[in-house]
Amino acid sequence: MDGNHNSSTLGTGRAESLKKQASSAVEISQITGAQLAGSNDPGAPDVHSKFGSRLLSAEQDVFEHNAWDHVEPDDEYLQYAEQQIRMHHEHPVPTEKQEFYNNTPAAFWNSFYNNNQNKFFKDRHWLRIEFAELFEWTTDRKSASEGHADASTGKEDVHLADSSDIAVSKSRGIAVASALSSETSDAKFRIMEVGCGAGNAVFPLLADVSDPRLFVYACDYSKVAVDVVKSGEAYDENRCAALVWDLSSTELPPNVQPGSIDIMLMVFVFSALHPSQWSQAVENAYRLLKPGGLLLFRDYGRNDLAQVRFKKSRLLEDNLYIRGDGTRVYFFTNDELADIFGTKFEIEQNAIDRRLIVNRKRELKMYRVWLQAKFRKPINTD
């Protein structure tokens, strides 16, 4: 399961009316969908820098680049969004179909991966920049030998944790590395990706980190996705285990001990859950992580274009939608994330990534919103 497969576009040129905006969404997506998706991972930050590095200082410069960070939507877009959300509530998914979508989510993801296999998403190399904790626990990695800087050495973003939080996080990383070095040579550093999809995060991680202590669990509740991972040329059972597991299950994944995971990765996964499943999912993450373990999170934000452009009969509940392929997607706020995870975890980061994607040729604007967070399991869990 990997919930980030929207290639949504919308024209918002100054000369265009709201009616034109609404009617041009599908038309424009056919032309600029690949541009918006970029790496087929439209929620991915720029692979070379932290999100927030390109700021729009003058409106007249908007079409000089393909994307801008921290751009608040203009009044025209906000009016359109309000109009669309109102329409969603007036025309929700028919009651008789809601149970069908909510009771069989894995079946829709199985169908998605049957159709796409490993060809839809591209590898998430941006993880090395945004979630350096996946790599910085060891120097035995390809990116270190090639001179790539960790994210902690790059330009700090105004929405990221302040310098004291960054220092604490970095010191914890050093402490983890020190603890590993003092243990036996077969001590493992365990990373679990929940919602691994076709392995677009797992395989780049395994390729970059050659440290023999690394072991990666790749979990997904789509059996087809797990089979795709297992069939990959880079899949090595000595370094990785692909497992069928539902994050919202009352059972932990097979052969994974509670309190054994150092880092858990959730990228566009939580949004596929029904809100009634959030509490169990958080409990499972908490149980699996070691004291001091870290949960890395990225997902859809409220009023993202992917939400706004939904048509009639797609709304299941407030902010929870059904895509055309039957998969669910929820759009969060930072306050919601704080409420959902803050009961169990220390919040090290709870950021919003607003991006204005533009088609310079046609002078069209597309407002995207993603949330990025880091949650730490307290060391003292008594």
Side-chain angles (χ1 to χ4, degrees), residues 39-152:
S39 63
N40 284 336
D41 196 352
D46 187 287
V47 94
H48 301 296
S49 61
K50 284 188 175 185
F51 71 80
S53 59
R54 178 172 287 162
L55 304 179
L56 178 62
S57 57
E59 177 63 27
Q60 63 265 27
D61 297 332
V62 66
F63 296 111
E64 289 188 6
H65 296 284
N66 293 327
W68 300 92
D69 296 299
H70 305 318
V71 179
E72 295 286 342
D74 58 24
D75 290 341
E76 194 174 22
Y77 178 81
L78 292 175
Q79 292 174 19
Y80 172 75
E82 182 179 354
Q83 170 188 311
Q84 285 292 99
I85 299 300
R86 183 166 58 249
M87 180 271 288
H88 297 161
H89 283 270
E90 292 171 352
H91 302 279
V93 174
T95 303
E96 63 271 16
K97 291 185 178 181
Q98 292 181 12
E99 185 175 354
F100 170 66
Y101 287 120
N102 282 325
N103 288 349
T104 57
F108 292 107
W109 283 107
N110 281 333
S111 177
F112 174 83
Y113 284 107
N114 270 322
N115 292 333
N116 295 285
Q117 294 291 303
N118 64 350
K119 298 179 177 62
F120 193 88
F121 304 106
K122 290 190 177 181
D123 289 344
R124 289 172 167 159
H125 297 290
W126 56 268
L127 291 172
R128 188 178 68 243
I129 304 299
E130 292 298 329
F131 295 142
E133 295 88 346
L134 292 165
F135 305 87
E136 65 184 7
W137 60 274
T138 177
T139 58
D140 193 1
R141 62 184 193 273
K142 182 179 180 181
S143 58
S145 64
E146 292 178 348
H148 292 294
D150 289 332
S152 58

Side-chain angles (χ1 to χ4, degrees), residues 340-353:
I340 294 166
F341 291 93
T343 58
K344 288 283 189 179
F345 293 90
E346 299 171 356
I347 301 175
E348 292 193 357
Q349 181 191 50
N350 188 5
I352 186 165
D353 182 3

